Amino acid sequence: MNILAIETSCDETACAVVRDGVTVIGEAVASSAAMHKRWGGIVPEVAARQQLSYMIPVLTEALQPFLTGRTRKIKDVLASDIDTIAVTVGPGLIGSLLIGIETAKTLAFAAGKPLIPVNHVLAHMYANFVGSPPPRIDFPAVSLVASGGHTELFVMQSAETLRWIGGTVDDAAGEAFDKTARLIGLGGGGGQAVQEAAARAAGKRSPPVSLPRPMMASGDLDFSFSGLKTAVMREWRKRADRSEDATAAFASEVEDAITDVLVAKTAKAARIHGARSVLLSGGVAANLRLRKKMNAAFKPEHIRLLVPPVRLCTDNAVSIGSYAYFRGQRSDWQTVSVHPDLSVEV
Ligand code: KG4
Ligand code: ZN
């Protein structure tokens, strides 16, 4: 079954065609992130306007594999190569979400195809199901979704069955990266900028920075990252040194603190639920230090660790298409609407 998936929850416009939930036939992503970087944060109005201008080119590019070498039009592809359309309906920015939803509804209406509404956060973890051959996942699996807006843990008994088991009580891990990056002078570069600065700290002799590991030892599977931002602010103000080395030392400790907590809580969840696989996803799963630490934690336990390629960690439509295949509910386009605050506690 070929699913045409559309994702526009934030500042990425993404389309993909995914076969049977695991094989990518076509995919395309356009991002307005660089534009927002200059403003120091996402401007929802600007993000929505960009979604609008990227939508048709991105859709066309994702459908290219069906168009090349023939004199076929998009309407022919929709009629004969696409079985179902899937679209992110939340959580996310309302203006951005609406561009994807209205596009998907129009296509479903015009082509007479069913439409599958998708929860963006739950979909992130399905980036781990995609590949050629598809990655092997042994169940039960524990899944950590760490993105700009969410830090959530789930347990999966199968590809179709998942349950929320914990999450952040305040800021998300990605948000902690984004906010601390700004505090230590790395602008709107977020986790990627922290990772790059931290890499420069290796081998340097800067005064050590010590930050808390919030809730790392708490008995539950919840996270809290807002205190980290306050601790960074306090420490940064205390020190006069604003050199590149000093920034690198801060970035390194920020990265170490956030990843320590993510690993400790995921390991705890894996122990409690007897996990045979651990799945990472969301933009923060792109972090190399996190990947290394997770590998060190789970390899000796013979727990299978799955991490998507970086392009499928950040927002993309491939995950949406995979999720729709395994867990989606085919609906009439008339019944699908936007849910900016959609809950992830399933
Ligand atoms: O999943 P995503 O693209 O969008 C949301 O759904 O939120 O995640 C974006 C988040 C941002 O907070 C960004 O700073 C973080 O992922 N991120 C990283 C890295 N690359 C992106 N965090 C740490 N290390 C990275 N290399
Ligand atoms: Zn996301």
Side-chain angles (χ1 to χ4, degrees), residues 37-271:
K37 213 167 159 176
R38 278 187 269 135
W39 300 75
I42 291 170
V43 184
E45 184 61 33
V46 176
R49 238 178 288 152
Q50 286 308 116
Q51 295 283 3
L52 204 50
S53 62
Y54 290 150
M55 194 71 242
I56 300 292
V58 168
L59 179 65
T60 310
E61 193 182 329
L63 293 174
Q64 264 319 304
F66 298 101
L67 293 165
T68 46
R70 300 181 237 172
T71 50
R72 299 181 78 211
K73 296 200 162 42
I74 285 189
K75 69 175 171 59
D76 304 322
V77 176
L78 287 173
S80 53
D81 297 307
I82 302 298
D83 300 290
T84 303
I85 296 163
V87 66
T88 297
V89 294
L93 303 172
I94 187 163
S96 288
L97 286 164
L98 280 169
I99 309 299
I101 294 171
E102 291 309 314
T103 305
K105 287 174 90 161
T106 306
L107 295 175
F109 163 66
K113 304 282 169 169
L115 186 56
I116 298 178
V118 172
N119 181 318
H120 168 86
V121 175
L122 305 185
H124 260 300
M125 62 184 96
Y126 284 77
N128 287 296
F129 286 69
V130 175
S132 137
R136 177 174 151 192
I137 300 175
D138 296 325
F139 295 98
V142 157
S143 169
L144 171 74
V145 183
S147 69
H150 289 269
T151 305
E152 317 289 345
L153 279 165
F154 300 87
V155 63
M156 304 181 80
Q157 298 297 342
S158 70
E160 294 82 19
T161 326
L162 56 88
R163 185 163 60 84
W164 181 86
I165 50 173
T168 186
V169 297
D170 43 50
D171 289 358
E175 201 174 347
F177 271 115
D178 297 343
K179 286 179 176 169
T180 54
R182 242 170 268 141
L183 285 172
I184 63 172
L186 296 171
Q192 174 82 34
V194 172
Q195 173 171 303
E196 284 163 15
R200 289 196 288 273
K204 297 267 171 61
R205 287 177 162 274
S206 298
V209 183
S210 173
L211 295 172
R213 269 62 176 159
M215 285 180 76
M216 193 157 87
S218 68
D220 52 28
L221 295 174
D222 289 334
F223 302 86
S224 165
F225 289 107
S226 69
L228 196 60
K229 168 189 66 193
T230 317
V232 169
M233 205 185 317
R234 206 174 39 233
E235 287 298 309
W236 184 250
R237 280 198 189 135
K238 260 202 267 174
R239 294 163 197 239
D241 188 357
R242 296 285 185 265
S243 66
E244 205 175 288
D245 284 0
T247 306
F250 260 88
S252 181
E253 176 66 1
V254 164
E255 187 179 60
D256 214 20
I258 296 173
T259 53
D260 271 354
V261 177
L262 293 176
V263 173
K265 286 289 164 105
T266 308
K268 175 176 244 159
R271 264 194 311 276

Side-chain angles (χ1 to χ4, degrees), residues 7 9-10 12 91 120-121 123-124 145-150 281-283 313-316 320:
E7 149 64 36
S9 64
C10 190
E12 268 87 30
H120 168 86
V121 175
H124 260 300
V145 183
S147 69
H150 289 269
S281 61
C313 287
T314 47
D315 290 346
N316 67 86
I320 308 299

